[in-house]
Amino acid sequence: MSVTVETLEKNMAKLTVTVAADRIEEAMQNVYQKNRSRYSVPGFRKGKVSRTMLEKMYGKGLFFEDAVNEVMPSAYADAVEESGLDIVSEPSLNFVQTEPGKDLIFTAEVAVKPEVVLGQYKGLEVEKADLNVTEEEVLAIIKREQEKNAVNKNVEDRAVQDGDIATIDFEGFVDGEAFEGGKGTDYPLTIGSGTFIPGFEEQIIGHELNQEFDVNVTFPEDYQAENLKGKAAVFKCTVKKIEEKELPELDDEFAAEVSEFDTMDAYKAHVKSAETEKKTVAAERAKEETVINKAVENAQMDIPEAMVDTEAKNMIREFADRLSGQGLSMEQYLEYFGQTEEGMKEQMKPNALKRIQSRLVLEAIAKAEAFEITEEEIDAEVAKMAAQYQMEADQVKSMVNVDLLKEDIAYNKASKLLVDEAKEV
C-alpha cells in the first residue's frame, strides 16, 4: 500500500491511497469462502460452486464490493499511520479506481489538528463575584419551603381570589364552534400561575361556587395550534371548588419540621451557609469559564469546518447515550420535538466549536508550561473513577486509556493555572 499527502487550505489534507490488487484479491477470496454456501447452481452441490463459475454467471464484481468494504477500515487506518498526520475529523472518501484485478485507489480529505498560537493567558481580568447572601434571599428560600408545606383549605363563603386554586369546568368556542382540546372537567387552576392563555385566570377572580360565566380571550400569535393563532375565543366556565393555601407559621416548630434544626435562627443560619456555598461553587465555575474564554479570544487558530462537524456528531452520540440511559432512543427524541439529526447537528456546531477551541488552548497551555503528570496523580484520578462507578481501582485502571487520562489531567492543570493566575477586579 502507498500513500501520498497533499496539503490543502485551512488545515485540510488529502490522502491518496493505493491498495495493491493482490490485497483486494485476497479479500475477494475471503468473501467468496464466507458466502459460497448461499449460491445454488444446477448440477452442483450447494456450496461447492467454484468462484470462477460464480463470477462467470454473475460478473467479475460479484465479491468485489464486499471485499473493498472489508479492506477499507484497515487500509485507511494504515494510511493515517503512514501519513504521520494528526487527523481530527472523519474522512470524506472518494474512489478513484475501483475495478477487479487492478489496484484500489481512493482519496480521503481530512482535517488536520490546527496549530495554536497562544496570546496572554496569565493575569486575565475577571469580575469579582458577590458571594454575599442577604436576609431577603434567605427569607425567599424559606418561603419556598413554606409553600411546599402549605395545605389547601376549602372555601365556600366567598368568591375566587388571586392565589386560590379554583377547580373549574370549561369549554372553548371560536366563531361559535367548539374546538379540539378546548374542553376540561374538574380542572384545578392556580390563579396567578400563568398556566392558561393570558387574561384567562384574571377573569376567574370574583366568581363564586357553581356560577356559570364567560371568559373572553385572544390566543397569542405564537400559539402552538395553527388554527387558533390570534383567534378570539369564548370559554364557558363553572367554578366547582375553591381552595386557599394555608401556610404554616415560620417559627421554631416549622424549622424543626422541615430541617434538622430546633430553632428558626439555626435554620436561617444553615440556609445562609448553604446558599453561600452554592454561590461560591457557581462563582468558581463562572470564573473558570470566563478565563478559558478570554484565553481562547487571545489565541490564534484556524479551525477546519470538518473538525467542527465531527465534534458535533460526537456530541450527538454523547446525547444519544444519555437518552439511552433514560430508556429513550434518539429516534423517539427527534420525532417528539420534530427535529432531524442534521438539524440538531447544525444547532450543536457553535458549542462544538467552543469545545474544540477550549480544548486546543488548554492543551497548548499545558505544553507551554511543560506540566508533568505523575503516577500519583493518575492513581488519584483512577481512585475517583473507582468510587464513582463502585469498582476496584485496579479494575478501572486496566480499562481506562492512560494517555487520554493524562490529557484530562493536563487540561485540568491548565484550567487551574488560568484561574489561579487571574486578577479579580
Side-chain angles (χ1 to χ4, degrees):
M1 189 188 78
S2 64
V3 182
T4 60
V5 179
E6 179 185 352
T7 302
L8 306 177
E9 295 181 343
K10 296 186 176 180
N11 290 306
M12 295 293 291
K14 183 180 187 180
L15 309 182
T16 300
V17 185
T18 302
V19 183
D22 289 349
R23 187 171 173 183
I24 302 300
E25 169 59 28
E26 183 181 342
M28 289 174 69
Q29 184 63 22
N30 288 337
V31 172
Y32 160 70
Q33 294 291 348
K34 290 177 185 176
N35 294 280
R36 62 182 182 176
S37 61
R38 295 168 47 195
Y39 296 93
S40 295
V41 176
F44 292 87
R45 283 188 296 161
K46 192 171 184 180
K48 297 298 181 179
V49 187
S50 69
R51 178 181 155 194
T52 304
M53 176 68 73
L54 290 174
E55 287 178 338
K56 281 183 179 179
M57 295 178 65
Y58 297 103
K60 288 186 178 181
L62 177 60
F63 303 109
F64 182 74
E65 184 176 343
D66 287 342
V68 170
N69 290 335
E70 185 177 284
V71 166
M72 280 296 293
S74 60
Y76 175 70
D78 292 344
V80 169
E81 185 175 356
E82 189 173 326
S83 73
L85 298 176
D86 193 348
I87 294 172
V88 290
S89 75
E90 296 176 354
S92 176
L93 299 172
N94 182 49
F95 289 98
V96 177
Q97 180 170 285
T98 55
E99 186 177 339
K102 293 186 178 181
D103 293 345
L104 172 69
I105 303 174
F106 67 91
T107 62
E109 287 194 17
V110 294
V112 180
K113 191 174 186 177
E115 180 185 355
V116 177
V117 179
L118 290 172
Q120 180 189 356
Y121 61 88
K122 291 182 180 178
L124 299 171
E125 292 187 349
V126 293
E127 186 176 346
K128 189 172 183 178
D130 181 9
L131 303 179
N132 181 51
V133 178
T134 66
E135 285 299 314
E136 289 77 12
E137 288 174 303
V138 170
L139 186 58
I141 293 168
I142 292 174
K143 279 186 171 295
R144 287 199 293 271
E145 195 64 36
Q146 183 189 34
E147 285 282 344
K148 291 180 188 176
N149 288 271
V151 293
N152 296 332
K153 179 182 176 183
N154 279 338
V155 175
E156 297 183 353
D157 59 352
R158 64 166 175 79
V160 177
Q161 295 179 357
D162 191 21
D164 284 345
I165 300 170
T167 300
I168 61 173
D169 290 348
F170 60 88
E171 185 172 15
F173 298 84
V174 171
D175 297 329
E177 296 289 334
F179 56 88
E180 186 178 354
K183 186 174 183 178
T185 303
D186 292 332
Y187 187 93
L189 175 63
T190 300
I191 307 302
S193 64
T195 53
F196 265 38
I197 307 161
F200 187 100
E201 293 170 25
E202 293 85 343
Q203 295 180 58
I204 304 296
I205 295 173
H207 292 287
E208 298 180 346
L209 282 172
N210 301 316
Q211 182 181 356
E212 296 180 1
F213 56 95
D214 289 347
V215 168
N216 295 280
V217 294
T218 300
F219 283 96
E221 292 293 341
D222 60 352
Y223 194 68
Q224 61 267 28
E226 286 288 338
N227 62 318
L228 297 176
K229 287 181 177 180
K231 294 289 184 68
V234 178
F235 285 85
K236 297 193 175 298
C237 303
T238 305
V239 176
K240 304 283 285 296
K241 183 165 68 172
I242 303 172
E243 296 171 284
E244 63 179 0
K245 286 184 179 179
E246 195 171 76
L247 299 173
E249 291 292 327
L250 296 180
D251 52 20
D252 292 345
E253 184 179 345
F254 173 77
E257 186 175 328
V258 301
S259 74
E260 59 189 81
F261 304 97
D262 295 328
T263 66
M264 180 56 72
D265 286 343
Y267 179 43
K268 283 183 177 179
H270 166 73
V271 170
K272 185 170 185 176
S273 175
E275 189 64 14
T276 300
E277 176 64 22
K278 187 177 175 182
K279 280 192 173 186
T280 301
V281 171
E284 289 173 352
R285 192 179 296 116
K287 183 178 181 180
E288 181 181 38
E289 184 177 354
T290 298
V291 292
I292 290 175
N293 287 343
K294 287 195 172 187
V296 168
E297 289 172 7
N298 293 340
Q300 296 177 28
M301 59 192 123
D302 191 1
I303 310 297
E305 180 63 24
M307 187 178 184
V308 178
D309 192 79
T310 297
E311 185 70 20
K313 288 179 181 177
N314 290 336
M315 291 171 71
I316 289 176
R317 280 192 284 269
E318 291 169 8
F319 182 67
D321 288 342
R322 292 196 295 273
L323 284 178
S324 179
Q326 300 169 22
L328 295 172
S329 68
M330 178 59 77
E331 291 73 19
Q332 289 170 322
Y333 176 87
L334 294 174
E335 183 179 357
Y336 183 81
F337 287 100
Q339 284 187 301
T340 63
E341 191 165 322
E342 187 63 28
M344 190 175 182
K345 186 182 76 174
E346 290 301 315
Q347 290 177 3
M348 286 188 168
K349 278 188 175 181
N351 284 336
L353 175 61
K354 185 175 179 180
R355 196 155 85 165
I356 291 168
Q357 291 171 326
S358 299
R359 188 170 63 237
L360 288 176
V361 165
L362 290 175
E363 180 183 357
I365 291 171
K367 285 182 180 178
E369 296 292 329
F371 290 140
E372 290 186 8
I373 311 301
T374 66
E375 283 298 320
E376 289 75 13
E377 289 171 322
I378 294 172
D379 289 341
E381 285 300 312
V382 168
K384 287 181 188 176
M385 295 170 68
Q388 181 181 354
Y389 296 108
Q390 298 181 333
M391 297 169 63
E392 293 295 326
D394 289 343
Q395 186 181 5
V396 172
K397 196 167 185 177
S398 68
M399 296 168 61
V400 299
N401 184 317
V402 176
D403 289 335
L404 291 179
L405 189 58
K406 285 181 178 179
E407 285 183 11
D408 288 341
I409 294 171
Y411 294 157
N412 290 335
K413 282 190 168 188
S415 178
K416 186 176 185 301
L417 175 73
L418 291 177
V419 172
D420 292 345
E421 294 285 338
K423 295 178 181 178
E424 292 187 334
V425 295

